[in-house]
């Protein structure tokens, strides 16, 4: 680290975390834990933090797990498969070795965090290429991945849209930020039959590293008011003054009453030009007609149904709607999605999977939403895909 070509900072004091990284991509800072190492630190919005030294080793994905066939876009129609368990992906990467962290950062069941943001480099404050970008550059795998989560874990598919996890084809929206997966959201959301404003929310982020659906305090207050006024009787908790609180767990004697709570819907504005680019990757109609792969037929028909003019859709609650020349796809969260089951000392609780946070104009779509919707992170086309997943991610 003392080499001036590798480190443009002197040995840092204990206040190193307050020093901002240089915009120079070669900027390094020496670690206070080991002067020969480069330093890194992380600070999250909830106050959790960690710090340590940068290390280098081989990252391998897929090679240690049982062999499984993953079908990507070009594989459909010709019965070819990719074996994800045979050799996997491997490359030498730079990563952080944690030396100290806050209590709220540490988790007994987690060994580390694999950051998969859109960034190609990270400066915290030492600057280096991210592990994901290194893996893409070195292995030449496509710069996209599919993520499906369930209560036991999930499935991460590198380099392909993994259609096997989806119950419906993904619908895409663009993202523009270089540091986070920030997407456009409609200016209203729906709690039951109540339409509420989201005009003050200017930033919506998709983040698998966030456990819950995180909303600004003023948005949470609107949701809370609707629940307390119209739905407290659903759980028999009308006399409780704190029955609907941020990220709180409840002992509910009769879990069946949870289904009486409302569905919460958020609107994603559909960019049809992005869907068109997706269509170009599909086989031709002639190839589809000759194929015996029924899944392709289903996928094409389903996508056509989702993107057609939905003004004639039957039922009061279509998954997508038209509003003038604008079209929206609904991310619908039923109570079975946002009321998370937890068992503590053999006793069952239900926890509200919505967290209020003083983010002012920012909202984070975290894991509680991803238990229903699989996500395609297409870093090549700068777009995010949402689609309902099969039970247990189709496995």
């Amino acid at each position: 680290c003392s080499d001036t070509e590798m480190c443009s900072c002197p040995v840092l004091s204990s206040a190193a975390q307050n020093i901002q990284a240089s915009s120079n991509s070669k900027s390094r800072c020496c670690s206070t834990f080991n002067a020969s190492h480069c330093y890194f630190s992380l600070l999250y919005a909830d106050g959790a933090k960690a710090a340590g030294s940068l290390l280098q080793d081989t990252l391998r994905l897929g090679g240690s797990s049982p062999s499984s066939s993953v079908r990507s876009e070009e594989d459909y129609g010709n019965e070819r498969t990719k074996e994800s368990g045979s050799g996997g992906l491997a490359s030498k990467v730079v990563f952080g070795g944690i030396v100290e962290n806050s209590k709220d950062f540490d988790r007994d069941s987690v060994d580390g965090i694999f950051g998969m943001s859109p960034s190609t480099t990270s400066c915290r404050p030492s600057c280096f290429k991210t592990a994901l970008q290194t893996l893409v550059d070195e292995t030449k795998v496509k710069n996209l991945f599919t993520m499906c989560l369930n209560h036991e874990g999930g499935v991460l598919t590198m380099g392909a849209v993994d259609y096997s996890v989806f119950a419906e084809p993904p619908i895409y929206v663009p993202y523009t930020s270089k540091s986070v997966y920030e997407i456009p959201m409609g200016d209203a959301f729906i709690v039951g039959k109540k339409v509420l404003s989201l005009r003050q929310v200017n930033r919506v982020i998709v983040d698998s590293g966030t456990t819950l659906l995180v909303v600004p305090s003023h948005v949470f207050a609107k949701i809370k008011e609707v629940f307390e006024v119209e739905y407290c009787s659903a759980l028999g908790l009308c006399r409780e003054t704190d029955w609907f609180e941020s990220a709180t767990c409840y002992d509910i004697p009769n879990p069946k009453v949870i289904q009486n709570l409302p569905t919460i819907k958020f609107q994603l504005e559909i960019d049809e030009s992005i869907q068109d680019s997706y269509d170009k990757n599909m086989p031709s109609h002639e190839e589809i007609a000759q194929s015996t792969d029924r899944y392709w037929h289903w996928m094409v028909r389903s996508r056509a149904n989702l993107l057609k003019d939905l003004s004639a859709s039957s039922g009061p609650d279509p998954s997508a709607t038209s509003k003038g020349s604008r079209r929206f796809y609904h991310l619908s969260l039923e109570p079975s999605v946002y009321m998370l089951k937890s068992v503590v000392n053999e006793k069952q609780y239900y926890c509200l999977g919505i967290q209020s946070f003083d983010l002012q104009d920012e909202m984070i779509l975290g894991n509680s939403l991803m238990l229903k919707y699989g996500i395609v992170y297409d870093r090549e086309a700068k777009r995010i895909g949402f689609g309902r997943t099969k039970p247990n991610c189709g496995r």
Side-chain angles (χ1 to χ4, degrees):
C1 184
S2 59
D3 189 333
T4 55
E5 291 185 1
M6 289 297 294
C7 181
S8 62
C9 301
V11 176
L12 299 177
S13 66
S14 59
Q17 60 188 13
N18 297 321
I19 296 179
Q20 300 297 318
S22 165
S23 58
N24 185 341
S25 63
K26 293 183 179 180
S27 173
R28 301 291 194 276
C29 295
C30 294
S31 172
T32 54
F33 310 111
N34 186 326
S36 65
H37 292 173
C38 292
Y39 175 82
F40 87 91
S41 67
L42 298 172
L43 178 62
Y44 291 86
D46 63 359
K49 57 186 177 181
S53 300
L54 293 183
L55 307 173
Q56 187 178 48
D57 203 345
T58 299
L59 170 66
R60 186 180 300 277
L61 296 179
S64 60
S65 61
S67 178
S68 60
S69 296
V70 177
R71 308 186 75 186
S72 63
E73 284 178 304
E74 62 267 27
D75 294 328
Y76 282 95
N78 56 25
E79 301 304 321
R80 288 185 292 110
T81 61
K82 295 179 180 179
E83 295 298 324
S84 64
S86 54
L89 302 172
S91 176
K92 277 194 172 182
V93 301
V94 174
F95 62 97
I98 298 174
V99 177
E100 63 180 20
N101 56 263
S102 58
K103 290 183 179 179
D104 51 353
F105 181 91
D106 199 8
R107 298 289 186 273
D108 292 338
S109 60
V110 177
D111 294 321
I113 296 175
F114 182 26
M116 305 183 77
S117 78
S119 305
T120 57
T121 59
S122 179
C123 294
R124 298 181 178 272
S126 301
C127 296
F128 56 95
K129 186 185 289 188
T130 64
L132 178 58
Q133 189 60 43
T134 301
L135 201 65
V136 169
D137 291 344
E138 296 298 323
T139 66
K140 307 305 180 185
V141 67
K142 281 187 176 181
N143 196 6
L144 63 93
F145 58 93
T146 305
M147 186 177 292
C148 177
L149 301 182
N150 56 44
H151 291 285
E152 283 69 47
V155 177
L156 172 66
T157 304
M158 295 293 300
V161 180
D162 188 354
Y163 294 111
S164 67
V165 306
F166 289 106
E168 67 179 14
I171 294 295
Y172 291 90
V173 293
Y175 74 84
T176 55
S177 173
K178 294 182 179 180
S179 58
V180 294
Y181 295 106
E182 182 179 341
I183 62 172
M185 183 76 80
D187 54 13
F189 69 105
I190 304 168
V191 180
K193 297 180 180 180
K194 191 82 170 180
V195 179
L196 304 172
S197 174
L198 271 181
R199 292 184 184 277
Q200 291 179 300
V201 176
N202 298 317
R203 198 174 193 221
V204 178
I205 297 170
V206 181
D207 180 27
S208 61
T210 299
T211 305
L212 306 178
L213 172 66
V214 181
V215 299
S217 54
H218 61 86
V219 172
F220 186 84
K222 294 177 182 178
I223 300 174
K224 178 180 173 70
E225 181 180 5
V226 174
F227 270 72
E228 290 185 332
V229 171
E230 301 185 22
Y231 294 97
C232 67
S233 60
L235 300 183
L237 296 173
C238 290
R239 295 182 181 180
E240 301 289 338
T241 57
D242 61 348
W243 81 272
F244 191 86
E245 295 296 336
S246 170
T248 301
C249 298
Y250 303 94
D251 176 12
I252 300 175
N254 181 11
K256 290 183 179 180
V257 301
I258 289 177
Q259 64 187 7
N260 297 327
L261 292 175
T263 296
I264 301 174
K265 302 175 188 176
F266 295 95
Q267 297 178 326
L268 296 180
E269 186 166 359
I270 297 172
D271 184 335
E272 297 211 33
S273 66
I274 293 180
Q275 318 308 324
D276 290 341
S277 65
Y278 171 81
D279 288 339
K280 292 174 184 176
N281 292 325
M282 287 186 175
S284 67
H285 291 291
E286 290 76 15
E287 290 174 320
I288 294 173
Q290 294 171 5
S291 172
T292 58
D293 192 333
R294 295 180 180 179
Y295 191 83
W296 259 119
H297 292 267
W298 172 85
M299 182 63 72
V300 175
R301 285 201 305 269
S302 296
R303 282 206 73 262
N305 289 338
L306 281 174
L307 293 177
K308 70 181 181 179
D309 185 356
L310 291 157
S311 59
S313 293
S314 60
D317 182 27
S319 61
T321 57
S322 295
K323 189 176 181 181
S325 60
R326 302 168 69 189
R327 293 186 182 180
F328 296 92
Y329 177 73
H330 292 165
L331 295 176
S332 298
L333 303 182
E334 294 78 16
S336 60
V337 177
Y338 63 77
M339 293 297 291
L340 307 175
K341 185 166 64 175
S342 177
V343 178
V344 179
N345 295 328
E346 299 184 354
K347 190 171 183 178
Q348 184 171 285
Y349 295 87
Y350 283 85
C351 310
L352 180 63
I354 306 172
Q355 183 176 5
S356 172
F357 208 76
D358 194 16
L359 297 173
Q360 299 301 325
D361 66 343
E362 186 174 299
M363 188 166 79
I364 303 175
L365 306 181
N367 295 168
S368 51
L369 177 138
M370 295 179 189
L371 290 172
K372 178 179 178 180
Y373 293 95
I375 312 291
V376 178
Y377 298 82
D378 189 342
R379 292 154 54 97
E380 289 185 353
K382 301 291 188 293
R383 59 183 184 166
I384 298 286
F386 293 84
R388 287 185 301 107
T389 53
K390 298 175 183 177
N392 200 34
C393 297
R395 299 304 193 260

